[in-house]
Amino acid sequence: MEMNHVRRGSGEPLLLIHGLGGSWRTWTPILDGLAAEREVVAVDLPGHGETPALSGEVSIDTLADAVTSFLDANDLAGVDVVGNSMGARLVLELARRGEVGTTVALDPGGFWKGWERYFFYATLAPSIRLVRLLQPVMDRLMGSAVGRTMLLIQLSARPWDLSAEVTREEMRTFADSPSFDELLRRLAFGPSQPGTDSTPGSVVIGWGRKDRVTLPGQATRALDRFPNARLYWFEDGGHYSHWDAPDEATELILTSTANDE
């Protein structure tokens, strides 16, 4: 399928995949830094941003199928890829399938078990309901350090320091995504992310020490399932490490994806 996307920069292509409820604009804090060295292709997943929702089941499997279709249609098979949150799980699935090159997964989902599944769902489900209710006053809330802190403390280690423009857009796309609720249920209670010890390119998993969504202890499970991966800790990062530490995230992505060229 065709997905809404933007292209920036020149050089070897680099695909960016956002998380649950997001859009390509979630990468704004690091987009220019990446585009200084690569041709960046940032997509809106189906049911997010300006890409229509899938008909039928919406899951990691069907999203992976859609992205693979997009790669084939745009001559991007084997592209290096970066994802955050659900997008990080998605790029790991694409790596597992052998569809992409070097893979950088920032704070991936899919490695929770037991009570962590209920924690994930029970914290995000009420949050999205609140975000939808607050849309009429969201511009004002995101323009305030206090408002950003109240609504984004689960996603960011320092929400008061974030850009009002970037966070306002993220809260809008969260509320507007027709696929959010189904994906949230499937992510929380569906199958965990399977792994592999063989991928076409190297795999780097970045994790925020202060992640309050995909808890840092889950990194051990991610490495168990992707034993050839390298783990990188963002010491001052939350669930959105590319927001909390944009320069550090940019450097990690560029150096990691340069290794296989």
Side-chain angles (χ1 to χ4, degrees), residues 68 71 74-75 84 90-91 93 102 115 139 142 150 154 160 171 180-181 193 203 234 252:
T68 300
L71 298 182
N74 289 274
D75 196 26
N84 167 247
L90 189 51
V91 300
E93 174 60 17
T102 298
W115 67 268
D139 283 358
M142 292 298 99
M150 288 172 57
Q154 192 174 4
W160 50 88
M171 293 298 96
F180 192 103
D181 292 339
Q193 175 59 45
V203 175
F234 289 91
L252 174 67

Side-chain angles (χ1 to χ4, degrees), residues 15-84:
L15 181 72
L16 306 183
I17 300 182
H18 61 78
L20 175 62
S23 74
W24 71 264
R25 290 181 175 84
T26 195
W27 300 107
T28 298
I30 65 174
L31 201 56
D32 288 343
L34 296 176
E37 297 190 23
R38 305 289 294 265
E39 181 190 22
V40 176
V41 182
V43 300
D44 287 345
L45 289 171
H48 296 75
E50 296 177 39
T51 300
L54 296 173
S55 58
E57 176 184 311
V58 184
S59 65
I60 290 296
D61 282 343
T62 59
L63 290 177
D65 292 342
V67 174
T68 300
S69 225
F70 172 82
L71 298 182
D72 291 341
N74 289 274
D75 196 26
L76 289 170
V79 69
D80 294 338
V81 62
V82 183
N84 167 247

Side-chain angles (χ1 to χ4, degrees), residues 231-252:
L231 179 63
Y232 179 90
W233 288 108
F234 289 91
E235 297 297 336
D236 294 317
H239 189 59
Y240 278 26
S241 298
H242 63 296
W243 284 10
D244 291 331
D247 292 342
E248 189 178 358
T250 300
E251 182 179 3
L252 174 67

